[in-house]
Amino acid sequence: MSLLNFLFAWRYFKAKKSTNAINIIAWISIIAVIIGTAALILVLSVFNGFEGLVKSLYSTFYTDLKISPVSGKTILITPEQLQKVKDLHEIKNFSLVVEEKALLQNGDYQSVVYLKGVDENYRYTTGVASHLVRLSSHDTLGYDIGNEDQPKLILGAGVANAIHVQTGFDPFTLKIYLPRKSNTEQINILEDISADTIDVSGIFLIQEDFDNKYGITNIDFVKRALKLGPDEYSNIEIALHDPSRADAVKQELKKILGAGYLIQNKFEQNQSLYSVMNLERWVIYGILCLILVVAAFNMVGALTMLVLEKQKDISVLHALGGNRNFIQKIFLSEGLLIAIIGGGAGMLLALLIAWAQIHLHLIPLQGGSFLIDYFPVKLRLIDFLLVGATVFVIALIASWIPARKAALQEFSLRSE
């Protein structure tokens, strides 16, 4: 499209029409594009805000990399392999973990929990330690998993509620039962079930998926209870200095450890979550594009009426040397002009509303049970580019039919 085409298009757009309905339909088209553009950007931005919030919560519990067994429950990691892992300069910290289901009992209340036995590095590898709540007013808010002989338990808030371990009261001592390895089909309660007592030292509150499922304690206690070997673990959780280097570090770990180990980044550990969120994003995008399709119908009507209005002008341009391609480009430019005005105004409107929501929290979240009390908003350049491209394509398709009709009509300066 040349500048001359847009000059003709702009002149036709602002010129007074013989039929006022043409102006009305044209402005309805622009308003529809403004609403559609703003709605697309704002909804995608709110989705970005929730996505970022959910990912940050999951990142608190899941680490940048995780080494686990390809099959079975445990992996064997020798001290030599651990030293090589430790020597990788891109690894910030790592924690050895033993995980198994356990039964917790508090009087008449009991609950199954995924028990994570962790070492002292775990508090520096994940963000769990920063999401603890006090058990009672005289307790200090600290991370304490105890030792092998006197283990301490940090419970998810949902599990704690299920067995009536509540904040504001004295620390609780629970009974804990863990299944051990058995070489026989029949279970011997005395040999195959470990029964101990454990003190609750804290409660973490992160997200329901973790709060209702996990408890964290000392790894040596869990290994003893499960009768695991000295080099036997469930997984290794790794934090990196630069999370964007996860895939490169993953390849280095494969060289160190060899086969038989499953090494996953954050996306792979939560593949179903990220896949669903990505699918939801595109479904929302597709549904909101219908608003722009409605605007396109108005645009077709406005341009078709404009072609009928400007039949004499088209004949004059043809007589002056303008070919059919030139005529077609003028009306294509008219459609793109409507898209540019509507799309530009819609983006500015979306920016204004998003800024107000970010700084003033105008639209609250109802219910009061979420971590935040307002809709989160996160603007991304890629959303503006995507929406801009969508508006451009829809406008181009909508203006093609009337523009083609204008180019193919018979030219005549003779008055009927």
Side-chain angles (χ1 to χ4, degrees), residues 12 17 33 60 94 104 125 139 178 180 195 197 226 263 266 272 311 328 338 356-357 376 388 404 411 416:
Y12 286 165
K17 317 297 192 297
V33 173
T60 297
F94 69 87
L104 294 178
T125 307
D139 284 337
L178 280 158
R180 290 170 172 161
T197 58
L226 296 177
I263 306 173
K266 276 184 181 177
S272 58
Q311 283 184 337
Q328 181 173 301
I338 291 174
Q357 179 65 12
R404 189 64 180 163
F411 302 118
E416 296 293 335

Side-chain angles (χ1 to χ4, degrees), residues 20-95:
N20 197 40
I22 300 176
N23 289 325
I24 294 174
I25 295 175
W27 279 107
I28 289 175
S29 301
I30 291 175
I31 292 171
V33 173
I34 291 173
I35 294 172
T37 302
L40 261 173
I41 291 175
L42 287 173
V43 172
L44 290 176
S45 298
V46 170
F47 189 87
N48 293 338
F50 277 114
E51 184 181 41
L53 180 62
V54 170
K55 284 183 177 180
S56 68
L57 292 175
Y58 274 74
S59 295
T60 297
F61 202 83
Y62 289 109
T63 51
D64 299 316
L65 288 172
K66 180 180 179 181
I67 304 171
S68 54
V70 173
S71 61
K73 289 187 174 183
T74 60
I75 53 176
L76 292 175
I77 301 289
T78 65
E80 292 77 15
Q81 288 175 314
L82 284 177
Q83 187 58 48
K84 289 180 180 179
V85 171
K86 188 176 182 180
D87 290 341
L88 290 176
H89 67 277
E90 291 184 281
I91 292 181
K92 181 180 180 182
N93 221 319
F94 69 87
S95 175

Side-chain angles (χ1 to χ4, degrees), residues 54-357:
V54 170
K55 284 183 177 180
S56 68
L57 292 175
Y58 274 74
S59 295
T60 297
F61 202 83
Y62 289 109
T63 51
D64 299 316
L65 288 172
K66 180 180 179 181
I67 304 171
S68 54
V70 173
S71 61
K73 289 187 174 183
T74 60
I75 53 176
L76 292 175
I77 301 289
T78 65
E80 292 77 15
Q81 288 175 314
L82 284 177
Q83 187 58 48
K84 289 180 180 179
V85 171
K86 188 176 182 180
D87 290 341
L88 290 176
H89 67 277
E90 291 184 281
I91 292 181
K92 181 180 180 182
N93 221 319
F94 69 87
S95 175
L96 301 171
V97 178
V98 173
E99 188 171 329
E100 184 56 86
K101 285 184 180 179
L103 178 67
L104 294 178
Q105 187 174 13
N106 178 30
D108 295 331
Y109 302 100
Q110 59 185 25
S111 177
V112 175
V113 63
Y114 280 77
L115 190 67
K116 290 182 69 123
V118 302
D119 59 20
E120 285 298 329
N121 285 337
Y122 187 76
R123 66 184 302 176
Y124 308 112
T125 307
T126 68
V128 174
S130 60
H131 287 76
L132 299 181
V133 294
R134 287 185 177 89
L135 278 177
S136 59
S137 57
H138 61 264
D139 284 337
T140 57
L141 190 60
Y143 174 93
D144 186 8
I145 57 174
N147 53 45
E148 180 179 352
D149 297 321
Q150 292 182 318
K152 299 290 183 66
L153 179 64
I154 301 173
L155 279 178
V159 179
N161 184 61
I163 58 175
H164 283 232
V165 174
Q166 301 172 355
T167 57
F169 296 90
D170 291 332
F172 288 80
T173 298
L174 309 177
K175 291 181 180 179
I176 183 168
Y177 302 92
L178 280 158
R180 290 170 172 161
K181 286 183 178 179
S182 177
N183 297 323
T184 61
E185 293 183 0
Q186 292 184 341
I187 296 177
N188 185 324
I189 295 178
L190 295 177
E191 293 294 327
D192 298 333
I193 301 292
S194 167
D196 288 281
T197 58
I198 191 168
D199 293 332
V200 178
S201 64
I203 294 175
F204 64 81
L205 183 63
I206 301 175
Q207 202 267 349
E208 279 190 1
D209 286 354
F210 313 125
D211 300 343
N212 296 338
K213 184 176 180 181
Y214 286 99
I216 298 168
T217 188
N218 183 272
I219 188 172
D220 295 323
F221 161 71
V222 178
K223 290 188 72 172
R224 185 195 67 189
L226 296 177
K227 294 184 177 180
L228 296 182
D231 299 334
E232 202 170 0
Y233 306 97
S234 296
N235 54 69
I236 302 175
E237 300 187 7
I238 300 171
L240 302 177
H241 290 289
D242 182 5
S244 65
R245 294 277 300 160
D247 289 334
V249 178
K250 179 178 174 180
Q251 297 305 317
E252 293 183 48
L253 288 171
K254 284 182 177 180
K255 293 177 183 178
I256 292 172
L257 300 175
Y261 300 88
L262 179 64
I263 306 173
Q264 298 174 302
N265 57 31
K266 276 184 181 177
F267 172 78
E268 291 164 334
Q269 293 175 59
N270 303 282
Q271 192 166 4
S272 58
L273 170 70
Y274 290 115
S275 297
V276 168
M277 292 180 74
N278 191 47
L279 178 62
E280 287 177 344
R281 179 182 180 85
W282 286 109
V283 169
I284 290 170
Y285 166 77
I287 292 172
L288 290 178
C289 278
L290 293 176
I291 300 175
L292 295 175
V293 172
V294 172
F297 282 112
N298 288 320
M299 197 181 300
V300 171
L303 291 177
T304 300
M305 294 180 70
L306 184 62
V307 169
L308 297 174
E309 168 83 12
K310 298 299 180 182
Q311 283 184 337
K312 189 69 71 176
D313 289 27
I314 293 171
S315 298
V316 171
L317 289 172
H318 181 66
L320 292 174
N323 57 25
R324 294 183 184 278
N325 189 45
F326 178 72
I327 302 299
Q328 181 173 301
K329 286 181 178 179
I330 289 176
F331 288 94
L332 280 175
S333 299
E334 184 77 23
L336 294 180
L337 187 64
I338 291 174
I340 290 170
I341 294 172
M347 289 182 182
L348 289 175
L349 178 62
L351 274 173
L352 180 63
I353 296 174
W355 179 90
Q357 179 65 12

Side-chain angles (χ1 to χ4, degrees), residues 341-414:
I341 294 172
M347 289 182 182
L348 289 175
L349 178 62
L351 274 173
L352 180 63
I353 296 174
W355 179 90
Q357 179 65 12
I358 292 170
H359 293 89
L360 303 177
H361 305 161
L362 297 179
I363 306 175
L365 271 173
Q366 302 298 323
S369 60
F370 208 65
L371 293 173
I372 54 175
D373 55 5
Y374 61 92
F375 279 93
V377 176
K378 184 178 181 181
L379 296 170
R380 289 180 180 172
L381 177 60
I382 188 67
D383 291 335
F384 284 84
L385 296 176
L386 175 64
V387 173
T390 302
V391 171
F392 178 85
V393 171
I394 290 176
L396 193 64
I397 294 172
S399 56
W400 174 263
I401 298 174
R404 189 64 180 163
K405 182 178 180 180
L408 294 177
Q409 74 175 20
E410 293 297 325
F411 302 118
S412 175
L413 291 174
R414 187 178 301 171

Side-chain angles (χ1 to χ4, degrees), residues 4-13 330 333-334 337:
L4 184 61
N5 299 135
F6 276 100
L7 287 174
F8 272 103
W10 174 248
R11 183 178 179 85
Y12 286 165
F13 176 78
I330 289 176
S333 299
E334 184 77 23
L337 187 64

